[in-house]
Amino acid sequence: MITNEQRDKLRGWFAGRLPDDLFDALAEVVVDREEITVIGRVPAPRLAEDVSAAEREAAVQSRIQEFRERTRDERIAVAREAEHKFRRKVSWGVECGGERVLFTHVAAPVMTRLRQPERQVLDTLIAGGVARSRSDALAWCVRLVQRHTDDWLVELRESLEHVQRVRAQGPDAEEAAESSAGDPEDG
């Protein structure tokens, strides 16, 4: 798990490294063990106030696609540097006109063992057309839990950060500092 300080340093690196005109603003930098996701804000297309919802949606999607194509080389250059420095894949996304779109992102495999009642839940989701496979069904379940337990997950992450701070003050703190435990490059 990454600490708030490490996350701040990582966000600062991207804020300093990204070309000034790439995004209107750096909206969010999210990091885990495998991936760094950089999300920036781009200006919404200028439209008349009385345009239909369909026209507005098409204009926003077109703006996002135009941004993605136009900035590809710049984003690849930054991603290569960051991937070398932080040893994680870099993914990109934008916010535009109230929409958030991720261009690419890592789908990391996760191994698990499930007992029959748990497998039956996944199989019911497949039979009901909610998912195509057990893998899709499990991902759907994780997203559902995430959506309904955000406050609890935030509190749990804060507790884990507190544990890391306490460990850092322990008798082995000097050795841990020397092995770059506080460096976002090492996670």
Side-chain angles (χ1 to χ4, degrees), residues 19-61:
D20 287 337
D21 59 347
L22 187 65
F23 297 123
D24 278 358
L26 182 59
E28 189 173 11
V29 177
V30 182
V31 63
D32 68 9
R33 289 186 294 185
E34 293 84 22
E35 177 179 28
I36 300 167
T37 304
V38 179
I39 301 171
R41 234 173 253 115
V42 298
R46 285 180 250 169
L47 301 168
E49 290 190 27
D50 61 342
V51 300
S52 69
E55 183 177 344
R56 185 172 307 282
E57 181 180 342
V60 167
Q61 291 303 317

Side-chain angles (χ1 to χ4, degrees), residues 57-131:
E57 181 180 342
V60 167
Q61 291 303 317
S62 294
R63 173 62 52 92
I64 291 169
Q65 189 61 35
E66 182 276 333
F67 172 85
R68 184 178 187 184
E69 297 300 323
R70 177 175 45 83
T71 63
R72 179 172 276 126
D73 291 340
E74 288 176 297
R75 290 183 294 106
I76 287 172
V78 172
R80 282 188 180 138
E81 188 177 333
E83 287 170 2
H84 178 74
K85 181 173 180 62
F86 300 115
R87 289 182 245 131
R88 291 173 173 88
K89 293 307 255 176
V90 175
S91 301
W92 299 93
V94 295
E95 290 179 354
C96 178
E99 293 287 321
R100 179 178 270 203
V101 176
L102 294 178
F103 300 152
T104 55
H105 48 283
V106 173
V110 178
M111 297 295 291
T112 186
R113 297 185 187 280
L114 300 176
R115 302 205 185 281
Q116 188 176 33
E118 297 156 337
R119 293 190 311 267
Q120 287 174 332
V121 169
L122 301 180
D123 293 342
T124 301
L125 293 172
I126 295 166
V130 173

